[in-house]
Amino acid sequence: MTTLLAVVLASPWVVVPVATLLRARHSRSLDDESAVSTVDAPTVSVVIPARNEAHNIERCVRSALAADYPRLEVVAVDDHSTDGTGAILSRLALEDPRLRVLTPAPLPPDWFGKQWACTAGANASSGDVIAFFDADTVQTPDLIPRAVNAMRSRDADFLTVAGTQELGTFWERVIQPQVFSVMLMRYGGTETVNDSRHASNKIANGQCIFVRRSAYVETGGHAAVRGKVAEDLAMAQHYFRLGRRAYVVLGLNQLSTRMYTSLRELIGGWGKNLYAGGRDSVPFGAVGRALTPFLLCSPWLSTLLPPLILMLAAFGLVGHDALVWAAIATAANLIWWLGAYAWLRLSPIYALFHPLGAAMMLYVSLGAIARGGNVRWKDREYVSA
């Protein structure tokens, strides 16, 4: 390997981050929408599915009820929780008549729990627009009016909001940015997703989805994706294939989520989604699906390989040209992560741990590949379609 070739081979580590920023630069935000509801604003039904969410549910429900929106109902679905979620919801329902609490029928064998709970909540609601919020989210009062105005300005059937991720512990700060960085590189910004003409390029954030009731009923609701572990991605692709108008928009100032709070939750949570759900996001049909294991591992390997070569070079085990390649690639990765953590308003020290985050995600990915479509979540076993 010549030095020039080493520089050329390192170019993807420089080009990909630059291309990612260019693809994301025109993303649209709810900040661009009015926070004022019109006199003919549709009724919005917020549906919050919850299973064993005692540590999250109160702040989620209270934030939904605090929406600055005139026509609102909230339906919380206690999916047979065993941790006190139901008791908390019952107490909150006594405080505000806009909150209804229900427990769905026992879970059928071919359904995922979230889809079943969402279906029960949607069937019990009455709004012209249904908003599905995960129990680990917090919404600002202007989220709903801005989202409704965004739907109306786009004549959207389906609108999903990508919010801010709360990162509390060391492992959250090391692992979560890895996942969302790769997703940004894969999908680009909101308009890259919205303008794509391929279903495999469509994605949604299941933490916050708004749908027109008429479209929800006509497309089969959550029943259409009842066997999918990544029901949000499947819904976005389903709407697109049916010719419905589906959009993603940023809501970094309106929505925040703390998905996982420990290393165990991070491994379990991403382990259930990465392979079983990621198969539906791969282009090129059957060929792409066959390559999913390689594609799933390649981002983490591309992060780990350069510093590994640098370590070998320190012991004189690789040549000068390999050292040049590794130095360029590692520097490009480090610059990317320094920028990412600056944007996240976290200490730049975390950028030094990016190989550790990649190593953990490689471990999670290999475990997910080994399990295939078999998924365990919230004490239930599933097989994802």
Side-chain angles (χ1 to χ4, degrees), residues 79-80 103-109 111 116 380:
D79 185 12
H80 305 277
T103 300
L107 181 67
W111 283 71
W116 183 244
R380 285 172 172 165

Side-chain angles (χ1 to χ4, degrees), residues 301-315 317-318 322 325-326 330 355:
L301 291 171
S302 68
T303 297
L304 290 169
L305 188 58
L308 177 60
I309 296 299
L310 283 182
M311 290 176 61
L312 295 175
F315 292 97
L317 298 177
V318 298
W325 168 82
T330 300

Side-chain angles (χ1 to χ4, degrees), residues 111 115 119 215-226 235 238-239:
W111 283 71
Q115 289 91 306
T119 298
Y216 183 78
V217 172
E218 291 165 7
T219 58
H222 278 84
V225 296
R226 61 185 177 272
M235 284 184 75
H238 180 60
Y239 272 65

Side-chain angles (χ1 to χ4, degrees), residues 34-338:
S34 172
V36 179
S37 300
T38 59
V39 293
D40 60 342
T43 300
V44 172
S45 297
V46 173
V47 173
I48 304 174
R51 177 173 170 82
N52 294 337
E53 294 283 356
H55 56 300
N56 286 320
I57 193 64
E58 183 161 354
R59 74 169 191 160
C60 177
V61 170
R62 287 194 183 279
S63 67
L65 290 169
D68 186 13
Y69 196 79
R71 301 180 180 88
L72 177 73
E73 70 169 352
V74 179
V75 180
V77 184
D78 175 24
D79 185 12
H80 305 277
S81 299
T82 59
D83 68 344
T85 297
I88 295 171
L89 288 173
S90 296
R91 171 170 54 81
L92 294 174
L94 293 175
E95 298 177 11
D96 195 319
R98 295 175 301 166
L99 173 62
R100 299 174 56 197
V101 180
L102 62 90
T103 300
L107 181 67
D110 58 340
W111 283 71
F112 273 74
K114 181 178 179 180
Q115 289 91 306
W116 183 244
C118 285
T119 298
N123 290 342
S125 68
S126 59
D128 304 305
V129 172
I130 310 173
F132 297 98
F133 295 161
D134 275 3
D136 54 6
T137 63
V138 176
Q139 314 91 43
T140 59
D142 61 327
L143 170 63
I144 291 178
R146 288 184 188 274
V148 169
N149 287 332
M151 291 187 75
R152 300 182 83 171
S153 66
R154 294 165 172 78
D155 193 23
D157 297 305
F158 178 105
L159 181 81
T160 183
V161 180
T164 298
Q165 296 297 319
E166 301 173 21
L167 306 175
T169 65
F170 170 82
W171 287 113
E172 290 172 82
R173 295 177 180 186
V174 169
I175 292 176
Q176 291 286 67
Q178 290 281 337
V179 179
F180 292 106
S181 174
V182 169
M183 291 176 66
L184 182 63
M185 291 179 180
R186 164 65 180 90
Y187 292 101
T190 64
E191 301 318 288
T192 306
V193 174
N194 294 336
D195 293 341
S196 177
R197 296 295 90 195
H198 301 282
S200 61
N201 292 332
K202 299 300 179 179
I203 193 171
N205 176 24
Q207 300 160 2
C208 184
I209 292 176
F210 290 76
V211 295
R212 294 185 189 275
R213 177 177 295 276
S214 58
Y216 183 78
V217 172
E218 291 165 7
T219 58
H222 278 84
V225 296
R226 61 185 177 272
K228 296 288 189 178
V229 64
E231 91 295 336
D232 46 3
L233 179 147
M235 284 184 75
Q237 295 181 352
H238 180 60
Y239 272 65
F240 175 77
R241 291 190 182 101
L242 294 178
R244 298 289 181 162
R245 295 174 294 275
Y247 297 92
V248 58
V249 65
L250 295 180
L252 300 178
N253 294 317
Q254 291 79 31
L255 177 74
S256 64
T257 310
R258 189 171 183 186
M259 296 176 65
Y260 311 117
T261 61
S262 68
L263 179 59
R264 181 178 180 179
E265 288 185 2
L266 285 160
I267 292 174
W270 287 119
K272 74 178 173 65
N273 282 333
L274 280 179
Y275 179 75
R279 294 175 297 182
D280 293 329
S281 67
V282 178
F284 310 121
V287 174
R289 288 175 70 89
L291 292 174
T292 298
F294 168 75
L295 296 174
L296 188 59
C297 293
S298 60
W300 326 123
L301 291 171
S302 68
T303 297
L304 290 169
L305 188 58
L308 177 60
I309 296 299
L310 283 182
M311 290 176 61
L312 295 175
F315 292 97
L317 298 177
V318 298
H320 174 267
D321 295 331
L323 174 61
V324 171
W325 168 82
I328 295 173
T330 300
N333 278 341
L334 186 58
I335 291 170
W336 169 263
W337 286 111
L338 285 169

